[in-house]
Amino acid sequence: MEGHLIPDPTNENATILLMGLRRSGKSSICKVVFHKLQPLDTLYLESTSKPTTENFRSLINLSVIELPGQLNFFEPTYDHEKLFKSIGALVYIIDSQDEYLNALTNLSMIISYIYKVNPKINVEVLIHKIDGLSEDFRLDTQRDIMQRVGDELLDLGLEGLQVSFYLTSIFDHSIYEAFSRIIQKLIYELPALENLLDLLVQYNKFEKLFLFDVNSKIYVATDSSPVDIQTYEACAEFIDVTIDLDGLYGDVKDSDESKGNPTKCISRLQNGSVLYLHQMIRGLALVGLVRLDNTDQFSMEFKNALSLIDFNVNVFKKSLEDMWKNSRL
Amino acid sequence: MSTNSRKKLLLMGRSGSGKSSMRSIIFSNYSAFDTRRLGATIDVEHSNLRFLNNMTLNLWDCGGQDVFIENFLNTSSQNPNSNNNIFKKCEVLLHVFDVESKEVNKDIEIFQRVLKNLHQFSPNVKVFILLHKMDLIQVNKRDELFKIMFDNLQKIANPFHFKLTGFATSIWDESLYKAWSSIICSLIPNISFYQQNLSKINDILNAREIILFEKTTFLVISSTDRKLITNNDELDPKRFEKISNIIKTYKQSVNKIRTNFETIILNGMNTSIYLAELTNNIFIMIVMDNQRNDDDSTAIEDENLILEDIKIARSLFEKVENV
Ligand SMILES: Nc1nc2c(ncn2[C@@H]2O[C@H](COP(=O)(O)OP(=O)(O)OP(=O)(O)O)[C@@H](O)[C@H]2O)c(=O)[nH]1
Ligand SMILES: Nc1nc2c(ncn2[C@@H]2O[C@H](COP(=O)(O)OP(=O)(O)O)[C@@H](O)[C@H]2O)c(=O)[nH]1
Ligand SMILES: [Mg+2]
């Protein structure tokens, strides 16, 4: 199931850039989301004192640029202009448990600069480490930060710029949810994908369907019904069950998704639903919850219903292959 | 027809050594993380767990603070016949040691006094020791530390003629499952029946591996693999306890959407895995090698065959359970 999506190198628009003051949580986010580090283990991450860049290749390219202070960032040795021109989104991390005014100043400086070279960029602000704030305080903090950033943009005369805000923490699924939404904005084929997923849902009585990036548990698309966090978690964790069990009896890393049959896993639940996983191309997997009521799991009806789903899902997979063949991503 | 047998298991050890944590993980579906919420156990917490149809595991989680331990020991010496003497009629002692303990001598002294009482009141008790919180020890030092501590404790036990079984455990990995699995197996009187029937089934199925799990705890109670081809040696030796861990975690995950799972069928890279309820008390997991057929229909036939075989095995094992 392991596999990396390697974007077309001629198109860098899908790259996202992670920035933020020291200790805001950038490395932690990357390690947790892309390297499966346990959130608690981020306490032992070493802080770096000079600008660093790390690249992750997942569904899209991700560059993490870490800035030690707020001033020496326009260092002449580094070609920021070229970098900023080539990215699709700027993700700025603010530590909500800390005094954040410095971060806001830093953010508006970056924005005013980046806007000049790349006005189409999406600016995504993560109000991070919210696990430490009470429910009320979270909203107050969000309101305050949005207000201040808005005022700042007004002062700079940049009202047209798209800035979105997310409340995140590495200790729950909010960070995956935020990244899912950020990355989806960069996927050109998203509307087409969503359409296909809606069709699948309609034909097969799926309650919810996600197209996951297996490595990171970010979903790159989902059907149009609202995302309920518990369903997302159950689906994301079902990927782990599948990979972990499979890994015990074969060298998963050795696997090549183009060879042999795709990995499939189904689990029948007591409430009559079935968790369904089907490996797709490019490190993606389709995972969903489907209702198959009133059928004994050993019965022919159950098997027929599943075969029909498999058939439709294979059609979907074929479309995905075609789409990606012509795709820029 | 089946007579219910109660098996008393004493869970002892100093306060904070991790007794209630492991009990909650194995029997109450806690995650390792959840155990941080546990407070110190006051006196004794009893739990009764139905196990494999005709067994009840009677678990005594004994609070480890000095006042409680002294109380247990004093009651036993002053009123040996009282019902409050916890050392009577014990089947298993599970003594937990915190490997990072600052008071090793005191730990050992208490262990010794517990053994002395058991020697008197339950001479046939099986004694298991867990050297616990191993996660706090550097990986390359664990084996050596275990050996030193175990040898030391066996010496303490020798005068009482107890032969210890020891495990290095931690709630943060799967080691806990291996230890508990072997403790539970030691309590099942007809364990060899399971083994024999499992082998019989595999003569028919020719599966790479078949494993039986107790349903509530997901502890492994029996397993068999294909005898002729020994390629299972290359497999992860910790795979059984890893599976227990994976499935327990999965159980928690579907609990969040307020349900439980009934089956898992995985068509993976090299194997197909079938996990289903076998009897009211047992889950079976069958691991088959994939015949790499391009033809999907034979795969479906195989699958039907296996599901049929599970049905047949079910009636076989229901008999075993009622022996
Ligand atoms: N690092 C680590 N911590 C553990 C482990 N097992 C338990 N703990 C922690 O140890 C603490 C005490 O655990 P308890 O289970 O309450 O200890 P206890 O033995 O029941 O203590 P008493 O009830 O007072 O006898 C909890 O915070 C657990 O999270 C382990 O394997 N590793
Ligand atoms: N409470 C909490 N702490 C976090 C979170 N994310 C990161 N941290 C902590 O913040 C500290 C700094 O993180 P690090 O990733 O090194 O920051 P960086 O300098 O921006 O890369 C670490 O101690 C992390 O454990 C979060 O969501 N919640
Ligand atoms: Mg306790």
Side-chain angles (χ1 to χ4, degrees):
Chain A
M1 295 273 311
E2 207 104 356
H4 294 276
L5 294 172
I6 302 172
D8 180 351
T10 58
N11 171 49
E12 293 289 326
N13 278 337
T15 302
I16 67 180
L17 190 62
L18 224 57
M19 295 178 109
L21 296 185
R22 285 183 61 182
R23 310 295 292 161
S24 55
K26 298 176 295 295
S27 319
S28 308
I29 290 174
C30 285
K31 291 284 186 308
V32 170
V33 176
F34 298 100
H35 291 293
K36 300 188 172 148
L37 190 73
Q38 288 299 313
L40 275 176
D41 292 341
T42 61
L43 285 172
Y44 311 113
L45 282 182
E46 283 190 21
S47 182
T48 40
S49 51
K50 52 181 192 315
T52 52
T53 311
E54 205 183 340
N55 293 306
F56 299 92
R57 288 176 138 194
S58 175
L59 178 68
I60 58 174
N61 269 347
L62 186 71
S63 299
V64 185
I65 302 220
E66 211 165 334
L67 301 170
Q70 50 189 102
L71 289 174
N72 56 347
F73 131 63
F74 297 112
E75 237 182 79
T77 52
Y78 201 92
D79 191 352
H80 284 95
E81 186 169 330
K82 180 153 169 263
L83 175 75
F84 286 155
K85 264 192 183 140
S86 66
I87 62 175
L90 167 73
V91 176
Y92 192 87
I93 323 286
I94 296 175
D95 179 348
S96 68
Q97 291 185 19
D98 200 19
E99 188 50 62
Y100 52 72
L101 291 182
N102 279 344
L104 295 181
T105 315
N106 182 236
L107 172 62
S108 57
M109 188 169 70
I110 295 171
I111 290 182
S112 63
Y113 181 84
I114 215 168
Y115 186 73
K116 285 192 213 114
V117 287
N118 186 352
K120 284 193 309 239
I121 196 163
N122 299 325
V123 177
E124 319 276 4
V125 179
L126 304 191
I127 301 168
H128 189 57
K129 306 195 192 177
I130 47 139
D131 49 279
L133 306 185
S134 72
E135 205 67 48
D136 286 349
F137 204 63
R138 286 179 194 181
L139 293 178
D140 287 349
T141 306
Q142 182 179 24
R143 211 171 296 129
D144 188 48
I145 289 178
M146 286 173 74
Q147 179 74 45
R148 287 173 190 272
V149 173
D151 289 351
E152 195 70 42
L153 291 180
L154 217 63
D155 286 352
L156 293 167
L158 303 176
E159 305 95 285
L161 193 71
Q162 273 301 317
V163 185
S164 316
F165 297 86
Y166 308 81
L167 295 173
T168 58
S169 161
I170 50 171
F171 289 100
D172 57 35
H173 284 82
S174 58
I175 191 69
Y176 296 91
E177 173 76 18
F179 266 92
S180 297
R181 289 201 275 149
I182 290 166
I183 284 175
Q184 284 172 29
K185 287 188 194 166
L186 303 174
I187 298 176
Y188 173 76
E189 294 81 1
L190 189 69
L193 273 178
E194 286 178 341
N195 264 334
L196 288 174
L197 289 172
D198 276 338
L199 284 176
L200 269 180
V201 164
Q202 219 175 319
Y203 286 140
N204 298 293
K205 297 203 229 150
F206 273 102
E207 289 164 37
K208 190 68 199 161
L209 201 51
F210 296 98
L211 186 58
F212 270 103
D213 178 40
V214 166
N215 271 334
S216 60
K217 309 283 168 20
I218 289 169
Y219 58 93
V220 300
T222 180
D223 67 288
S224 53
S225 67
V227 176
D228 149 62
I229 196 81
Q230 275 87 30
T231 310
Y232 164 81
E233 283 178 17
C235 290
E237 284 163 8
F238 192 52
I239 298 179
D240 288 332
V241 174
T242 307
I243 293 179
D244 291 349
L245 278 183
D246 202 21
L248 290 177
Y249 290 95
D251 192 0
V252 183
K253 295 221 169 45
D254 233 21
S255 70
D256 177 350
E257 55 186 28
S258 62
K259 267 192 253 146
N261 299 322
T263 296
K264 279 193 288 184
C265 192
I266 56 163
S267 176
R268 163 113 183 160
L269 307 178
Q270 271 168 9
N271 65 4
S273 295
V274 170
L275 268 166
Y276 178 94
L277 179 148
H278 196 131
Q279 184 185 13
M280 298 280 117
I281 55 167
R282 292 178 158 251
L284 299 175
L286 193 70
V287 188
L289 205 54
V290 61
R291 280 217 83 78
L292 292 174
D293 271 328
N294 299 328
T295 38
D296 170 11
Q297 56 198 315
F298 294 110
S299 73
M300 224 44 219
E301 285 105 299
F302 186 76
K303 274 171 217 140
N304 289 344
L306 273 178
S307 311
L308 186 66
I309 294 175
D310 278 342
F311 179 81
N312 288 330
V313 167
N314 276 324
V315 174
F316 172 81
K317 185 173 176 182
K318 191 81 193 42
S319 323
L320 205 61
E321 277 164 4
D322 293 344
M323 220 181 231
W324 248 259
K325 217 181 294 159
N326 309 322
S327 136
R328 306 166 309 138
L329 213 95
Chain B
M1 161 174 137
S2 60
T3 51
N4 197 332
S5 62
R6 280 166 82 85
K7 310 270 182 181
K8 177 170 163 188
L9 187 155
L10 274 193
L11 186 50
M12 306 261 324
R14 303 289 305 283
S15 183
S17 57
K19 301 178 294 297
S20 306
S21 303
M22 57 180 74
R23 175 176 62 109
S24 313
I25 290 174
I26 299 289
F27 299 103
S28 309
N29 234 352
Y30 274 47
S31 70
F33 200 76
D34 295 336
T35 63
R36 304 190 170 192
R37 295 200 311 255
L38 291 170
T41 305
I42 307 299
D43 201 24
V44 182
E45 277 174 35
H46 297 268
S47 28
N48 284 307
L49 302 137
R50 278 187 66 81
F51 212 84
L52 299 185
N53 229 14
N54 53 4
M55 275 174 54
T56 304
L57 186 61
N58 191 206
L59 198 106
W60 295 46
D61 178 359
C62 307
Q65 294 179 47
D66 292 346
V67 272
F68 300 127
I69 296 198
E70 289 305 329
N71 182 31
F72 302 141
L73 295 166
N74 289 339
T75 312
S76 148
S77 60
Q78 285 156 16
N79 309 300
N81 296 322
S82 140
N83 282 335
N84 292 334
N85 181 355
I86 62 166
F87 299 106
K88 287 196 302 189
K89 294 188 183 153
C90 297
E91 199 86 29
V92 170
L93 167 71
L94 183 51
H95 204 103
V96 184
F97 294 87
D98 179 345
V99 289
E100 282 242 295
S101 166
K102 301 276 177 304
E103 300 176 301
V104 180
N105 288 336
K106 179 94 200 210
D107 296 347
I108 291 178
E109 181 212 316
I110 286 173
F111 179 56
Q112 190 169 26
R113 290 165 72 193
V114 167
L115 289 185
K116 183 162 175 274
N117 276 280
L118 284 169
H119 181 62
Q120 184 177 356
F121 297 105
S122 299
N124 291 322
V125 71
K126 299 186 184 87
V127 181
F128 291 86
I129 56 167
L130 299 191
L131 304 179
H132 190 59
K133 305 198 186 177
M134 263 303 166
D135 57 290
L136 301 173
I137 305 294
Q138 265 184 3
V139 178
N140 55 4
K141 303 225 167 98
R142 290 179 191 169
D143 286 349
E144 196 193 338
L145 177 72
F146 177 80
K147 194 171 166 354
I148 294 172
M149 285 182 73
F150 182 83
D151 290 348
N152 197 4
L153 292 170
Q154 179 61 62
K155 276 200 205 97
I156 302 287
N158 281 339
F160 308 105
H161 309 291
F162 287 126
K163 182 154 175 16
L164 306 185
T165 311
F167 294 94
T169 54
S170 160
I171 56 171
W172 292 104
D173 62 35
E174 61 286 336
S175 56
L176 199 59
Y177 291 95
K178 187 188 175 84
W180 275 89
S181 176
S182 93
I183 292 161
I184 294 301
C185 283
S186 80
L187 290 172
I188 302 174
N190 49 354
I191 192 92
S192 58
F193 282 96
Y194 287 99
Q195 197 68 45
Q196 284 158 17
N197 280 294
L198 211 52
S199 299
K200 266 190 221 157
I201 292 174
N202 209 19
D203 289 343
I204 307 167
L205 270 176
N206 197 25
R208 178 148 187 191
E209 185 149 84
I210 309 183
I211 311 169
L212 297 184
F213 299 90
E214 195 282 325
K215 190 174 152 190
T216 44
T217 57
F218 246 87
L219 295 171
V220 174
I221 51 176
S222 188
S223 73
T224 185
D225 56 14
R226 217 171 10 212
K227 294 289 159 334
L228 298 174
I229 309 157
T230 52
N231 59 356
N232 277 5
D233 293 349
E234 302 157 13
L235 293 179
D236 187 341
K238 291 186 182 156
R239 65 189 178 282
F240 293 165
E241 48 275 24
K242 283 190 176 164
I243 296 169
S244 298
N245 201 0
I246 293 168
I247 303 297
K248 286 279 274 225
T249 311
Y250 179 51
K251 218 164 154 179
Q252 284 166 17
S253 149
V254 289
N255 280 347
K256 281 187 264 178
I257 50 174
R258 288 171 301 281
T259 182
N260 210 336
F261 74 94
E262 287 178 349
T263 58
I264 298 176
I265 300 180
L266 166 67
N267 294 302
M269 293 309 304
N270 304 310
T271 45
S272 292
I273 297 178
Y274 302 80
L275 181 74
E277 195 174 285
L278 186 63
T279 67
N280 288 332
N281 311 291
I282 300 179
F283 263 81
I284 188 169
M285 183 165 139
I286 301 177
V287 183
M288 302 290 291
D289 282 316
N290 275 354
Q291 274 103 25
R292 278 258 166 247
N293 281 329
D294 294 327
D295 178 8
D296 230 21
S297 65
T298 54
I300 290 175
E301 265 166 40
D302 283 351
E303 191 169 313
N304 288 343
L305 212 67
I306 286 167
L307 295 179
E308 279 307 315
D309 284 334
I310 292 180
K311 274 191 197 169
I312 297 169
R314 177 167 299 155
S315 57
L316 203 65
F317 275 90
E318 270 163 0
K319 281 192 205 117
V320 178
E321 281 192 346
N322 292 322
V323 168

